[in-house]
Amino acid sequence: MDDLRKLPFTTKKDLRDTYPFGLFAVPRSEIVRMHASSGTTGKPIVVGYTKKDLDTWADLVARCMAMTGGTKEDVVQNAYGYGLFTGGLGIHYGAERLGATIVPISGGNTARQLMLMQDFGTTILTCTPSYAMFMADEIIAAGIKENIKLKAGIFGAEPWSNNMRLQLEEKLGIKAHDIYGLSEVLGPGVAMECEHQKGLHIFDDHFIPEIIDPETEQPLPYGQKGELVFTTLTKEGFPVIRYRTKDISVLYEEKCDCGRTHVRMERITGRTDDMLIIRGVNVFPSQIESVLLEFGETEPHYLLVVDRKAAMDDLEIQVELSSKMFSDKIAGLEVLERRLKERILSVLGISAKIKLVEPKSIPRSEGKAKRVIDKREL
Ligand code: DLL
């Protein structure tokens, strides 16, 4: 194990430099599925899976479901997004592997979610914690809690607090489990909370975890907070060695009360970079910046304001108009707003409110620019 520490790290930059398939470890023809996640600029990062990788993934997600007490008797409503995001399909095949009944509803359309939840007798809900909270509030507002048969929630893909867990458990009458993963390592199913909810069990028969000091890059002992790093042991298509996740956590070695012997990780408490997760979508300010720079009518002075109202994340992008655009005035501003909105949607996959502001109105900084105001209490 000590020799692992002699190997260099892998970073998101390595993935960017080898876009799209440069780090695949098998011929492209052996890859049977691809997924993608946000890169730091316009291009996503791409991951590939062989047949065996998909098999392993389904086993691991089935394991996660079993950790909630899930069996073939359960009806799993999967409201993670289907598509390039690993959440939808990752959870989907794990539920099938367990033998549960999967409802592949994907995200959104809350009225239909609640109708099917009642009519199908859904027992396990899988989605981001913020979407679960939105649904919970709708259920209470509609006065239909009695009709809901949920027992467990498998929530992840974004940070959430213990306080939010308690609220979700109370509002939905469930046990809420935290599930962790990232596309570069697998997708959902790298680690999962058991019924004791004392940290997430890392499936260390497939992934070797380390915690490092993000500054010195030196490994830290169990119990100390730092950046999570993973090495995959069984992946074929896209194995990684010492991948720096930028996620902040702590590892614990002691055996859990449930009897499982995996190394456990504390819930993710932050990131070492500026990545935001908005409505479950990973967003780097640098991605937004590169879109703004494509448009000659705006300046690269911007501010991202993130808020959570009624359990839904809102992103407002305030951006300065160029002096020319400002003096030519108003004509075409609505068109510009719309074009920016469309471009942001196509690059980032989320819709944002665009607010065009006067030149020089966004505070300048002499040090590190403060580009993000996050008003959410995560
Ligand atoms: O979010 C995989 C996933 C899907 C996990 C569904 C759980 C459920 P990416 O889109 O590549 O993959 O984003 C990975 O999301 O590095 C963390 O910063 C964050 N993240 C994932 N799970 C959690 C969690 C999926 N339980 C990035 N708590 C990771 C906090 C999480 N952050």
Side-chain angles (χ1 to χ4, degrees):
M1 275 299 289
D2 288 342
D3 284 348
L4 181 66
R5 298 173 172 182
K6 297 179 185 156
L7 297 174
F9 294 105
T10 309
T11 63
K12 229 181 183 96
K13 180 173 184 306
D14 297 313
L15 273 59
R16 191 172 70 216
D17 293 348
T18 53
Y19 174 86
F21 306 149
L23 288 186
F24 287 7
V26 297
R28 220 270 306 121
S29 55
E30 296 301 309
I31 298 290
V32 294
R33 170 120 51 93
M34 289 201 242
H35 281 284
S37 168
S38 307
T40 44
T41 54
K43 298 277 190 193
I45 56 123
V46 182
V47 294
Y49 303 76
T50 64
K51 278 201 172 108
K52 178 164 168 275
D53 291 334
L54 292 183
D55 202 44
T56 310
W57 193 8
D59 275 347
L60 289 181
V61 173
R63 222 189 245 185
C64 295
M65 301 216 157
M67 284 168 86
T68 71
T71 67
K72 69 192 285 288
E73 303 304 326
D74 282 293
V75 176
V76 180
Q77 185 159 334
N78 187 18
Y80 285 113
Y82 280 66
L84 287 173
F85 175 52
T86 53
L89 290 174
I91 295 290
H92 182 101
Y93 288 103
E96 281 191 3
R97 177 65 49 93
L98 184 71
T101 309
I102 180 95
V103 183
I105 188 163
S106 197
N109 199 340
T110 307
R112 191 173 54 161
Q113 299 272 1
L114 301 192
M115 178 181 79
L116 298 189
M117 197 180 280
Q118 298 175 82
D119 297 349
F120 293 178
T122 302
T123 51
I124 299 180
L125 174 64
T126 57
C127 61
T128 58
S130 53
Y131 192 43
M133 186 65 84
F134 186 74
M135 284 198 237
D137 289 340
E138 294 284 300
I139 287 170
I140 289 166
I144 54 171
K145 193 172 168 190
E146 278 71 61
N147 309 341
I148 301 290
K149 307 239 165 22
L150 287 177
K151 299 187 312 203
I154 301 183
F155 305 139
E158 65 184 10
W160 51 310
S161 58
N162 201 48
N163 190 23
M164 185 148 168
R165 184 219 299 281
L166 296 176
Q167 282 193 30
L168 282 169
E169 294 193 329
E170 205 215 295
K171 288 183 178 174
L172 291 169
I174 58 167
K175 193 140 195 159
H177 299 253
D178 194 359
I179 185 169
Y180 170 81
L182 63 165
S183 317
E184 298 91 314
V185 175
L186 180 78
V190 173
M192 172 78 185
E193 264 179 350
C194 70
E195 70 275 21
H196 292 281
Q197 301 173 319
K198 287 191 183 144
L200 293 84
H201 292 258
I202 298 177
F203 299 138
D204 50 12
D205 46 341
H206 293 272
F207 315 104
I208 304 175
E210 294 175 82
I211 289 278
I212 62 160
D213 177 324
E215 299 297 322
T216 64
E217 302 190 331
Q218 288 308 306
L220 295 174
Y222 288 115
Q224 280 197 31
K225 191 175 269 221
E227 178 180 339
L228 257 179
V229 170
F230 285 105
T231 298
T232 60
L233 287 169
T234 53
K235 277 186 69 196
E236 294 181 337
F238 192 86
V240 285
I241 293 173
R242 305 194 83 200
Y243 184 72
R244 289 189 61 169
T245 63
K246 308 259 176 173
D247 289 322
I248 297 172
S249 181
V250 181
L251 295 180
Y252 300 106
E253 174 183 44
E254 300 79 37
K255 202 168 135 182
C256 179
D257 293 340
C258 72
R260 292 179 183 86
T261 54
H262 307 118
V263 169
R264 276 171 296 144
M265 59 182 257
E266 184 183 69
R267 66 166 64 238
I268 302 292
T269 51
R271 302 251 325 156
T272 62
D273 63 5
D274 54 0
M275 185 179 92
L276 296 160
I277 307 185
I278 300 172
R279 270 170 263 142
V281 178
N282 303 350
V283 173
F284 289 92
S286 51
Q287 285 177 290
I288 296 180
E289 181 171 307
S290 67
V291 169
L292 298 178
L293 287 171
E294 290 171 16
F295 286 74
E297 299 101 317
T298 57
E299 295 289 322
H301 295 292
Y302 61 93
L303 194 62
L304 311 181
V305 184
V306 194
D307 206 352
R308 183 170 284 174
K309 293 195 187 110
M312 277 293 242
D313 294 342
D314 279 328
L315 168 64
E316 179 180 274
I317 303 175
Q318 300 180 6
V319 58
E320 285 182 12
L321 283 166
S322 67
S323 319
K324 172 157 184 342
M325 192 66 190
F326 187 66
S327 52
D328 286 356
K329 273 275 175 38
I330 312 305
L333 286 194
E334 267 169 30
V335 179
L336 176 61
E337 261 176 25
R338 204 180 55 238
R339 279 171 52 225
L340 274 167
K341 195 176 163 73
E342 280 167 7
R343 185 75 186 127
I344 292 284
L345 180 64
S346 91
V347 173
L348 270 65
I350 56 165
S351 80
K353 185 170 167 233
I354 309 289
K355 188 170 169 195
L356 298 169
V357 297
E358 279 180 35
K360 308 220 163 33
S361 64
I362 289 177
R364 303 293 192 259
S365 109
E366 289 173 2
K368 231 168 140 45
K370 184 158 172 52
R371 304 226 184 266
V372 180
I373 298 179
D374 198 337
K375 299 182 177 165
R376 298 173 297 180
E377 281 165 25
L378 297 176

